[in-house]
Amino acid sequence: MTDMQVNPSFRLVYVPGVTPGKWVRVWSERLPDVPLELLAVPFGDGERTLREGGADAGLVRLPVDKDVLSAIPLYTETTVVVFPKDHWLAAAEEVPLDDLADEVVFHPLDDTLGFTADTLPGRPAIARPDRTEDAIELVAANVGVLLVPQSLARLHHRKDLTYRPVVEAPQSQVALAWPQERTTDLVEEFIGIVRGRTVNSSRGRGAGQAAPEAQPKKAAAGRGKPQQKAGGQRSGAQKSGGQKAGGQRAGSQKAGGAKAGGRGAAARRGRPKR
């Protein structure tokens, strides 16, 4: 790993459909003095950005070149078919892949599902759209339908379009990736955040800061237990004794006071007037 001072900031690249917000929030809480810069790039540029050193780590879609990049799979997305709201597919809760056999299915150049001309279901369009958002526009024009990960259907949502899950369709897997030769402490820190490690179990910078603080507290807590127990017993005894003694004294004083008060009153009543 490289020294922390070599990389005082952290740059994270991510592709469309991926939402890094929850991990960024944890980073800002755990490492407030290390700026995290987000870099949004098109689908095909995520791996290239990492290979060229444009980012420390990235949230990208698999596959990636495992000879150059390390990758941790995070989750697999549901594949959906996008179509106009008045399309006959809207009557179904989910769509079998075979039901698209008679539909024009767009195959954008930035396809994230790994379709080829031979594996794409349905009838091919005359030309391939350059981007997924271009294909969405064609779907809205009621020219055909589009298969995408659900996050992209949400990203390009339109009021006149809807989508349904597709049974037995290829799926897209999102992963955290980084250059193998640049596995820095900050990369380890982000890996820990993505995997849900606590600050004390993290292998990165946060763990180094948390450990010295946690050990003295633990030691102090260990030394304090017998004293607290003994002290608690003595305090209890003093409290119990104090209450009993205090109660007895208070009772005696109260009783004595009443008797004395009675004699004093009687004495005053028996005195002759001058």
Side-chain angles (χ1 to χ4, degrees):
M1 296 184 188
T2 58
D3 186 77
M4 290 294 302
Q5 297 300 322
V6 175
N7 190 12
S9 62
F10 190 76
R11 199 174 196 197
L12 180 70
V13 64
Y14 67 100
V15 296
V18 179
T19 53
K22 60 182 179 180
W23 298 311
V24 173
R25 285 191 296 271
V26 176
W27 178 281
S28 62
E29 293 169 359
R30 193 171 295 183
L31 293 92
D33 58 330
V34 181
L36 189 153
E37 181 182 353
L38 290 174
L39 178 62
V41 298
F43 162 68
D45 290 346
E47 181 176 352
R48 180 183 59 79
T49 302
L50 292 172
R51 293 169 66 101
E52 295 177 356
D56 300 286
L59 297 169
V60 298
R61 296 185 184 275
L62 295 178
V64 296
D65 186 351
K66 293 184 178 180
D67 292 334
V68 179
L69 302 179
S70 297
I72 300 174
L74 300 180
Y75 58 89
T76 301
E77 286 200 67
T78 298
T79 298
V80 301
V81 55
V82 183
F83 49 83
K85 281 189 174 180
D86 58 356
H87 197 282
W88 68 269
L89 290 172
E93 293 185 0
E94 57 183 24
V95 178
L97 201 60
D98 292 343
D99 283 3
L100 302 178
D102 295 329
E103 298 293 327
V104 172
V105 180
F106 294 111
H107 188 201
L109 295 176
D110 62 353
D111 170 49
T112 60
L113 297 174
F115 283 117
T116 65
D118 295 329
T119 61
L120 186 72
R123 297 184 291 121
I126 297 174
R128 295 184 63 181
D130 291 334
R131 302 174 302 169
T132 296
E133 47 263 54
D134 298 329
I136 290 288
E137 293 294 331
L138 293 172
V139 172
N142 207 10
V143 179
V145 299
L146 175 66
L147 289 162
V148 290
Q150 186 170 333
S151 65
L152 291 181
R154 290 174 174 171
L155 177 64
H156 301 297
H157 171 71
R158 290 174 53 119
K159 293 182 179 180
D160 53 346
L161 299 181
T162 188
Y163 59 84
R164 295 289 186 273
V166 180
V167 181
E168 298 180 354
Q171 295 177 312
S172 176
Q173 196 168 24
V174 174
L176 172 64
W178 67 95
Q180 293 180 5
E181 297 180 355
R182 295 195 296 276
T183 307
T184 65
D185 285 349
L186 289 177
V187 170
E188 288 284 6
E189 187 68 34
F190 195 78
I191 293 171
I193 290 173
V194 168
R195 283 183 162 176
R197 294 179 193 149
T198 64
V199 65
N200 290 331
S201 64
S202 177
R203 300 176 186 176
R205 181 177 181 272
Q209 290 181 335
E213 296 177 0
Q215 290 175 355
K217 289 181 181 179
K218 186 175 181 181
R223 292 195 299 271
K225 284 182 179 179
Q227 296 176 1
Q228 290 172 356
K229 186 174 182 182
Q233 292 175 346
R234 287 197 298 271
S235 299
Q238 291 172 357
K239 183 176 182 181
S240 176
Q243 288 175 347
K244 289 181 180 179
Q248 291 172 353
R249 287 195 297 271
S252 299
Q253 291 173 357
K254 184 175 182 182
K259 290 179 180 180
R263 287 196 298 269
R268 286 194 298 273
R269 287 196 300 271
R271 287 181 185 174
K273 295 182 180 179
R274 295 184 181 179

